[in-house]
Amino acid sequence: MIFDTHCHIYDSKYEESIDEIIYKCLSFDVGLMMVVGDNIVDSKKCDEISKQYNEVYSAVGVHPEEVDTDDFDKMEEQLTSLVLNNNKIKAIGEIGLDYYWKNDEDTKSKQKKYFIKQIEIANKLDLPIIIHARDSVTDCIEILKEHPCINKGVFHCFSGSVEQAQIIIKMGYYIGLDGPVTYKNSKTPKEVAKIVPSDKLVIETDSPYLPPVPYRGKTNYPYYCKEIIQEIAIIREADYKEIEELTFENGKRLFKI
Ligand code: NI
């Protein structure tokens, strides 16, 4: 069975209902899905979906590009109340740093504050974290060295170097790989896919974004995990089934499912 450890099936990009998407996922052997929030509104959607479907678990959190107010107490209250009322919320995420669109000092420092605050919330609630790090892996590593998450977590859609992956793995965090590992020109994710230890690799789609080959330019779905697993199996000279199974087990261990 497949575990898509990062998807946004509540996204308005989808024309189908969540019912239809999940039904199709099950028929394609996707047995577990982690729906991930980007802000409080979406986190509530994730909470609801995971309550409705056996196969779906959820993560709640505020994405670095969604940080607005500095009302940390309110954010903590909202995230805490969601987690305490639903035992299928298994992580705080996605949280982290994103310097792709804006990288002035003000933006960076605000994002860092949110990241640190949400690591603290994860520690209070005894949960791992889902880390979004775009053009910011070094800073994320620095923050995690000073503010470690007790239950660790995953660098989702990992886009850093092999060296950075090795540091992250040593620190006990998992590496999440998705569509880009199938892109012909994206060399680094392929190199990373080769070196991640078998007990630290998880599969994800980040759907509806980042569809793997041959679906580029289209909407992504959790059942396109197959293409990602296939590519990783080729890179690692392993069996498809072996990668499917080990990443499924890794995902369950990471999120204590
Ligand atoms: Ni995402």
Side-chain angles (χ1 to χ4, degrees), residues 223-236:
Y223 41 85
Y224 293 162
C225 271
K226 279 197 188 308
E227 279 68 20
I228 300 161
I229 295 172
Q230 186 61 56
E231 181 66 25
I232 292 175
I234 292 168
I235 293 169
R236 292 172 77 98

Side-chain angles (χ1 to χ4, degrees), residues 199-230:
D199 61 345
K200 283 288 181 282
L201 176 66
V202 292
I203 302 292
E204 52 172 65
T205 56
D206 206 13
S207 50
Y209 311 102
L210 295 174
V213 172
Y215 305 106
R216 287 190 81 174
K218 296 185 178 152
T219 304
N220 197 6
Y221 294 91
Y223 41 85
Y224 293 162
C225 271
K226 279 197 188 308
E227 279 68 20
I228 300 161
I229 295 172
Q230 186 61 56

Side-chain angles (χ1 to χ4, degrees), residues 31-43:
L32 287 176
M33 281 158 266
M34 175 65 69
V35 288
V36 183
D38 284 329
N39 51 45
I40 298 294
V41 173
D42 287 347
S43 293

